[in-house]
Amino acid sequence: MNKCTAMETKLADMLLDPEAAPAEVKAHVAECDSCRKDLEEMRATMAAMDAWSVPEPSPYFMTRLGARMREEREAPRQSWLQRLRARFVYGPPMHARPLAAMALTVMLLVGGGAYLGVTNIEQPQPPDRDAAVVRDLQTLDSNAQVLDQLEAISDNPNDAISDDPNSDDPQSQ
């Protein structure tokens, strides 16, 4: 098989000029079935190409071509914007596919964000003041000692102040 890959270029040379081909190429083609088959296929292709006749062009072809060339030369030059528009409208649609994919992606992201309510990510929610008060009351409810101290202060404010060793009240000292 290694020898066959080396013979591929030499087969074309043998096809064009069989007498100039080296003896080792002729011997290899005589022994190797796949190379002989490739050579026969090339000969069949060449025979088909030799049998094919080129159709004659229309007698008016050159006249029409000359007229169209003259029209193009005499036509006013288009501006760059007109050429760009013509290329976008009449050109291949391949350049519009990435733009369409990007636009669709942006629309999906914006639409999904609006649907999920994630559009106000940059604006923080103001803290709920009622929630802080409720949380403080729940903490106080759970701490009976703090409630007892608050009741003692509210019942007798003077006693509560004087009993406090850390008090800064000058009357209690």
Side-chain angles (χ1 to χ4, degrees):
M1 197 54 128
N2 247 350
K3 200 170 186 179
C4 291
T5 56
M7 292 292 166
E8 285 180 0
T9 57
K10 296 178 183 175
L11 285 178
D13 294 337
M14 187 172 173
L15 177 69
L16 296 175
D17 191 11
E19 283 78 30
E24 65 180 35
V25 175
K26 291 178 184 178
H28 178 76
V29 170
E31 294 172 2
C32 182
D33 291 334
S34 66
C35 290
R36 186 176 28 248
K37 182 181 174 190
D38 287 344
L39 184 63
E40 290 304 318
E41 287 175 357
M42 285 185 203
R43 283 183 180 150
T45 303
M46 292 299 284
M49 293 293 286
D50 289 340
W52 182 65
S53 63
V54 178
E56 290 296 321
S58 168
Y60 302 109
F61 175 75
M62 291 305 287
T63 306
R64 282 192 244 142
L65 180 65
R68 286 189 70 191
M69 295 294 283
R70 236 178 287 113
E71 287 174 7
E72 287 296 321
R73 265 188 254 120
E74 294 169 0
R77 181 116 172 121
Q78 290 182 337
S79 71
W80 67 272
L81 186 61
Q82 290 172 332
R83 288 191 310 258
L84 183 66
R85 181 179 176 269
R87 183 177 218 166
F88 186 72
V89 172
Y90 302 115
M94 294 300 289
H95 64 280
R97 286 183 182 164
L99 294 174
M102 184 177 63
L104 183 61
T105 303
V106 168
M107 286 176 25
L108 284 172
L109 289 174
V110 169
Y115 177 74
L116 295 175
V118 185
T119 54
N120 295 331
I121 289 176
E122 290 126 13
Q123 300 174 353
Q125 296 283 338
D128 192 11
R129 294 180 191 202
D130 294 336
V133 173
V134 170
R135 203 173 321 114
D136 290 344
L137 288 174
Q138 288 173 346
T139 304
L140 289 174
D141 267 346
S142 66
N143 196 344
Q145 183 183 7
V146 174
L147 281 176
D148 290 340
Q149 288 175 354
L150 285 176
E151 285 178 10
I153 291 173
S154 65
D155 289 344
N156 193 354
N158 290 333
D159 290 340
I161 292 175
S162 61
D163 290 330
D164 188 12
N166 296 326
S167 175
D168 291 336
D169 189 16
Q171 294 175 354
S172 65
Q173 294 174 354

